[in-house]
Amino acid sequence: MSDAEGGTNGSVVERIDRVIVERPGLVIVAFLAVTALMVPGLGMISTQADTDQFTEDVEAQQAQEEIDEEFAGTIGGSATAGTLIVQDDNVLSRGALVRILETQHRLEDHGSLRISSTSSHANVVARQLDPTAETPLEQRRAVEAATDRELRAAIADADARGRLEPQLSTDYNPTRGHATGTIIGITYDLPESASTGEVVTVQERTVDVVGTVEGNEPGENAILFGSGIIQSEFNALLTDTAIIVFPLAMLFILGFLLLAYRDPIDMLLGLGTLGLVLLWTFGLMGWLGIPFSNVMVPLFPLLLAVGIDFGIHTINRYREARTAGEDIEPAMRQTTDQLLVAFTIVTITTAIGFAANLTSPLGSLQDFGVVAALGITITLLAFGGFLPAAKVLADRGRGRIPRFPSFGTTPLGREGSLMGRTLEYSVSLARVAPAFVLVGALVGGGGVGAYGTGVDAEFSQEIFFPDEDRVEQYQALPEPFAPAEYTFTTTIRLLEDEFGGRQFDTVTIYVDEPVRDDDSLERLHRATRQPPDSFERADDGTAEARSIVTVIDAQTDRDPEFATLVARNDYTGNGVPDRNVDTVYDELLESSGEAEARRYLAADRGSARIDFTLKSGADDDAVVADARRVADRMPMDAVATGTLIVNAAVIDVILESAIQSLLIAFLLTAVFLMASYRLLEGRAVYGIVNLLPILVTVALLAASMRYFGVALSPINAPILGVSIGLGVDYAVHFMHRFVDEYDPGTDVFDALRVTIQGTGGALTGSMLTTVFGLGALFFAIIPLIQEFGLLLALGVFYAYACSIVFLPSIIVTWERVADRSDRVPSLASA
């Protein structure tokens, strides 16, 4: 049932290919006009390169943000905050305390830095010495004036209140009063919407001011770590990655495209069409106001992969027709008649794989799904309309130029060629042992699929940064390929080595309801009873925790008058007020100062927080489960939060999204393929035949992720769903060509041989170009992009291999069963 004459694919395809062949100039002008409209959109693209894009829709992150807004002591950190790491022989010595407080004084006193506040353990010690000392300058004087005995007592008292350890390095020894590192928190008076450049500027000036204090050596014993510096260096990291990867990818792509096309004009047409696809996609992205984020990084190689495939198929099929003796117009009509249907099926099924990410609760993955689906649709329009029209015009122009140089015109995989002979082995295998191949695919695919279910997921800010060893390897490259010097890798290692044990020392329970009722404090107190195993226990068996209740307890010990008020309003006698709670709050704020109480009680008393101390070495999974359990069992609206909890929640979402998008993509793809082949060819069975190579492709990719230790992340989470689209691409091209060649009365092996030599050759050229060209991402400095390059190359190769190796045997097995049973329709009986 060949449609070489252009009639069997319906009037729509006929009208399209008629316009392409008869009015190619009009087609090109129309595309160029739309391109002119898309160009301004490129300037509208905003960037979103921080990790907040992955956490914005997570409940634990929302709770953390509310804490950052409502309480004096934040746990999430402002986007314009900074951290100054200070090292000394002993940061609790008088000299170090004075140096730290003088540093804070100069920072807060320097107007151009726009610093609203600083905080350190030195503030705590100084206020213990002199509660009236409010500014760093007054506190420095208090430390200088104290006797050695008074200073030791102040440090011991501050330690007893649990105020020192969170800010000191892991070598802190409370008995000796000794630690070699501390952290100074810096808050800038900048809007959250401040540009990266603005934040970088004030943080660079901060470093300069820090260096004016005697004893401080910026970059040595005083290291600033802030969001502006991170973002600036991450942007440089992206640039350095592009400098290394882009030329390498272009070298591979151009080399294999030259091999596939063997004609510079055809190659320019293919590359020009690819450029048009990218320009339209990213221009439309700008017009729609969708930001370019880390999640969008895979979009570029994915569109290139599909575009390269479409381009090679178009040129190769056209050359087959020309080699058979057809003129330019009939050859192109034969090409578009056949390929437009295949391209449309591939586009819709691939778009389904992309759009399945719309089910993800992460907004960034939803944006990826929208843009990717639009991009693949644009790819269909460009390679289904623009490239054929441009090819017709180009060949007409060649025909008018005398003695125009002749380049390669034969299709890939032609009969008698090395590629053609190699590809025919899959047909020979189908002739000898098709059932064996089919059983092997089913059993092997099931086995690797089961293995692949063990793939992990991960999320943290650190996964976006390369390790120091990798950076050092690349810095050995000659200019301009050698990357810049990055401080964040060294600083992150320092934070992990010196403060890593304290990074997740606490988890926070956010109580999102008013705490002004008589029993509010009792309910907060009850949350600390019977602590789970991962929580540190106090001497009385309750959880080691800080809350407004513990602040009240501490003030009760210091202030007899306040203790009388608490006792008067404590019916149960356990030291926790259970009536006139507002009165207790008022007196607490007046007698102890607002700073401490405001760490655990919102200004409007509409929410509260409890910080639970974790056992040293507690397992992260156990901590997350225990924290969520404590929040769930509270008789209040409570949410567990903190960096550890947020990261775990994102991991849960990533796994859920990957599995959900994979299942949805597969089910919708299966339904669409069967419906499409039923409508176009009269047999839904063609769609069923397509599914096995797709399933094996997904199984192999998941197993490879586990084998190579590649965890699911926000960058590669869509890859499993997208792998269905990649598998469909190769399987549909093969199957659609076979259906065209396999008429009743035609030998199945003859039809397979024509398919494998024609379409198989184009598939091989596309696979090689994509695997080597886009696999160049494996050489990226950023680990996540490196991993995505590996997965993309493997996914394309698996899709190709499964289609070439399995489909012939599946088809032959089906036909042999059909010969023996009247209930099984032949693939040639449409």
Side-chain angles (χ1 to χ4, degrees):
M1 55 184 172
S2 173
D3 57 28
E5 298 303 320
T8 61
N9 280 331
S11 58
V12 175
V13 174
E14 286 184 37
R15 287 197 295 269
I16 292 173
D17 64 38
R18 187 181 302 118
V19 173
I20 290 172
V21 170
E22 296 177 1
R23 309 185 72 178
L26 178 63
V27 173
I28 292 175
V29 169
F31 271 90
L32 294 179
V34 177
T35 301
L37 294 175
M38 293 297 178
V39 168
L42 296 176
M44 303 178 191
I45 297 178
S46 60
T47 58
Q48 185 181 8
D50 53 47
T51 57
D52 291 345
Q53 61 189 292
F54 308 117
T55 61
E56 57 188 2
D57 299 309
V58 173
E59 182 185 30
Q61 173 64 19
Q62 293 169 351
Q64 182 164 298
E65 290 172 355
E66 291 179 18
I67 289 176
D68 291 346
E69 292 175 1
E70 298 172 8
F71 299 89
T74 64
I75 59 174
S78 167
T80 58
T83 299
L84 182 65
I85 304 171
V86 177
Q87 295 175 300
D88 197 275
D89 290 339
N90 183 12
V91 294
L92 288 165
S93 67
R94 186 191 304 272
L97 292 172
V98 168
R99 175 163 68 94
I100 291 169
L101 290 168
E102 177 62 21
T103 300
Q104 292 179 249
H105 165 62
R106 295 193 188 184
L107 290 174
E108 293 186 16
D109 197 49
H110 203 290
S112 67
L113 295 182
R114 301 181 64 180
I115 292 177
S116 60
S117 65
T118 62
S119 62
S120 71
H121 75 289
N123 300 133
V124 178
V125 174
R127 279 195 293 266
Q128 197 70 32
L129 289 167
D130 182 1
T132 65
E134 295 292 335
T135 68
L137 180 60
E138 294 172 345
Q139 292 165 357
R140 189 201 73 190
R141 291 169 179 167
V143 171
E144 290 174 328
T147 65
D148 290 343
R149 182 177 180 178
E150 289 172 336
L151 186 58
R152 287 194 299 271
I155 292 173
D157 289 342
D159 176 71
R161 295 173 59 195
R163 298 295 307 279
L164 294 182
E165 190 171 10
Q167 294 171 298
L168 298 174
S169 54
T170 54
D171 63 357
Y172 171 52
N173 186 324
T175 303
R176 295 174 52 212
H178 181 274
T180 59
T182 188
I183 290 176
I184 300 176
I186 302 173
T187 303
Y188 294 90
D189 187 18
L190 291 170
E192 293 292 322
S193 59
S195 68
T196 299
E198 292 174 313
V199 179
V200 169
T201 298
V202 297
Q203 290 186 347
E204 287 176 345
R205 291 175 182 168
T206 300
V207 174
D208 294 337
V209 173
V210 168
T212 64
V213 177
E214 184 178 356
N216 284 344
E217 298 179 13
E220 298 295 332
N221 67 354
I223 303 170
L224 184 65
F225 189 64
S227 59
I229 293 174
I230 293 174
Q231 189 58 61
S232 177
E233 293 195 355
F234 189 74
N235 290 339
L237 181 62
L238 287 174
T239 301
D240 289 336
T241 296
I243 290 174
I244 293 171
V245 170
F246 187 76
L248 189 61
M250 287 299 99
L251 180 65
F252 281 128
I253 289 174
L254 291 177
F256 281 101
L257 283 181
L258 188 60
L259 174 66
Y261 289 131
R262 288 154 292 138
D263 183 331
I265 294 178
D266 286 350
M267 188 167 75
L268 286 175
L269 292 177
L271 290 174
T273 309
L274 278 174
L276 185 144
V277 169
L278 296 176
L279 192 152
W280 278 31
T281 301
F282 290 105
L284 188 59
M285 188 173 161
W287 280 111
L288 294 176
I290 298 176
F292 185 88
S293 62
N294 293 319
V295 170
M296 294 296 178
V297 171
L299 184 62
F300 177 80
L302 286 170
L303 292 180
L304 283 182
V306 179
I308 288 170
D309 176 72
F310 281 12
I312 292 178
H313 273 289
T314 299
I315 299 301
N316 206 65
R317 189 68 185 89
Y318 173 78
R319 288 180 179 178
E320 283 191 65
R322 292 284 281 156
T323 302
E326 298 286 357
D327 202 358
I328 294 174
E329 288 78 8
M332 187 54 73
R333 290 194 65 174
Q334 182 175 331
T335 299
T336 54
D337 278 349
Q338 183 180 82
L339 291 183
L340 278 178
V341 175
F343 285 175
T344 301
I345 294 174
V346 168
T347 296
I348 295 177
T349 50
T350 305
I352 288 172
F354 290 147
N357 289 284
L358 291 174
T359 61
S360 171
L362 294 182
S364 54
L365 288 180
Q366 294 176 13
D367 288 345
F368 171 82
V370 170
V371 177
L374 290 173
I376 192 64
T377 304
I378 291 170
T379 305
L380 168 66
L381 296 175
F383 284 93
F386 180 82
L387 179 60
K391 177 62 175 171
V392 168
L393 277 184
D395 280 10
R396 285 178 182 173
R398 289 199 232 205
R400 298 190 188 102
I401 300 176
R403 294 189 296 277
F404 191 88
S406 178
F407 301 105
T409 58
T410 56
L412 290 169
R414 68 190 184 280
E415 186 174 2
S417 67
L418 176 61
M419 184 182 295
R421 293 195 303 272
T422 303
L423 291 171
E424 279 193 58
Y425 281 117
S426 67
V427 179
S428 300
L429 187 61
R431 185 189 299 272
V432 175
F436 178 80
V437 174
L438 179 59
V439 171
L442 292 172
V443 175
V448 297
Y451 175 77
T453 58
V455 67
D456 291 326
E458 65 178 353
F459 175 78
S460 67
Q461 188 181 58
E462 287 74 19
I463 67 174
F464 293 91
F465 301 142
D467 58 39
E468 290 180 274
D469 293 338
R470 188 168 181 83
V471 172
E472 288 177 2
Q473 291 174 358
Y474 279 86
Q475 284 176 338
L477 295 173
E479 293 292 345
F481 301 107
E485 295 285 343
Y486 306 120
T487 62
F488 61 71
T489 54
T490 303
T491 308
I492 288 175
R493 179 176 54 81
L494 177 64
L495 286 170
E496 290 177 348
D497 292 345
E498 300 295 329
F499 301 92
R502 306 296 177 208
Q503 185 177 11
F504 300 130
D505 253 8
T506 63
V507 292
T508 297
I509 303 298
Y510 172 59
V511 178
D512 188 18
E513 66 176 60
V515 285
R516 311 176 73 162
D517 295 337
D518 287 348
D519 65 342
S520 293
L521 292 176
E522 284 283 5
R523 286 187 288 171
L524 292 177
H525 177 62
R526 282 198 295 270
T528 64
R529 297 176 184 173
Q530 298 178 341
D533 291 340
S534 64
F535 286 18
E536 192 67 69
R537 293 173 182 260
D539 293 338
D540 60 0
T542 62
E544 186 73 46
R546 295 288 297 172
S547 69
I548 190 64
V549 174
T550 59
V551 175
I552 291 173
D553 286 342
Q555 185 62 20
T556 299
D557 293 339
R558 292 192 299 266
D559 187 342
E561 186 176 341
F562 181 75
T564 301
L565 174 66
V566 170
R568 190 165 58 245
N569 291 284
D570 175 17
Y571 276 160
T572 59
N574 63 350
V576 180
D578 42 31
R579 74 170 185 169
N580 298 323
V581 171
D582 265 327
T583 302
V584 174
Y585 289 154
D586 291 338
E587 183 63 28
L588 175 67
L589 293 171
E590 182 177 343
S591 59
S592 69
E594 191 173 347
E596 180 68 7
R598 283 280 289 108
R599 289 178 60 87
Y600 303 101
L601 180 70
D604 63 356
R605 304 171 190 180
S607 59
R609 63 184 276 194
I610 309 173
D611 293 342
F612 288 92
T613 302
L614 304 175
K615 287 183 179 178
S616 177
D619 178 72
D620 286 354
D621 291 338
V623 168
V624 171
D626 289 344
R628 290 172 174 170
R629 193 177 302 114
V630 169
D632 290 341
R633 77 185 185 192
M634 287 185 66
M636 311 174 83
D637 188 3
V639 179
T641 187
T643 302
L644 187 64
I645 309 296
V646 171
N647 289 349
V650 174
I651 289 173
D652 292 342
V653 171
I654 290 172
L655 282 172
E656 180 183 346
S657 297
I659 295 172
Q660 186 170 274
S661 63
L662 176 64
L663 292 175
I664 292 175
F666 178 75
L667 290 175
L668 292 180
T669 297
V671 171
F672 175 76
L673 284 176
M674 289 187 286
S676 298
Y677 280 111
R678 174 67 180 177
L679 177 65
L680 295 172
E681 308 295 345
R683 285 288 183 269
V685 65
Y686 300 138
I688 298 175
V689 172
N690 271 272
L691 294 178
L692 180 58
I694 297 170
L695 285 173
V696 177
T697 296
V698 175
L700 286 170
L701 190 58
S704 297
M705 292 182 71
R706 180 177 179 182
Y707 179 79
F708 289 110
V710 177
L712 283 168
S713 69
I715 298 296
N716 64 41
I719 193 66
L720 293 178
V722 169
S723 64
I724 291 179
L726 295 174
V728 166
D729 190 344
Y730 287 87
V732 164
H733 279 304
F734 188 102
M735 194 65 195
H736 191 75
R737 179 63 182 274
F738 173 77
V739 170
D740 283 340
E741 300 296 337
Y742 191 40
D743 295 323
T746 303
D747 183 74
V748 66
F749 294 105
D750 289 340
L752 283 172
R753 186 167 54 253
V754 173
T755 300
I756 206 75
Q757 290 173 349
T759 298
L763 290 175
T764 303
S766 172
M767 180 274 295
L768 291 173
T769 305
T770 305
V771 167
F772 284 92
L774 303 183
L777 291 172
F778 182 75
F779 297 98
I781 304 176
I782 302 174
L784 288 182
I785 296 179
Q786 175 195 16
E787 292 171 356
F788 185 81
L790 172 66
L791 296 179
L792 180 60
L794 288 175
V796 169
F797 175 75
Y798 292 151
Y800 164 81
C802 289
S803 297
I804 293 296
V805 174
F806 296 145
L807 274 177
S809 292
I810 295 171
I811 290 169
V812 171
T813 301
W814 187 283
E815 286 301 277
R816 290 181 177 177
V817 172
D819 288 340
R820 299 189 183 101
S821 174
D822 295 335
R823 296 183 180 181
V824 178
S826 169
L827 297 176
S829 60

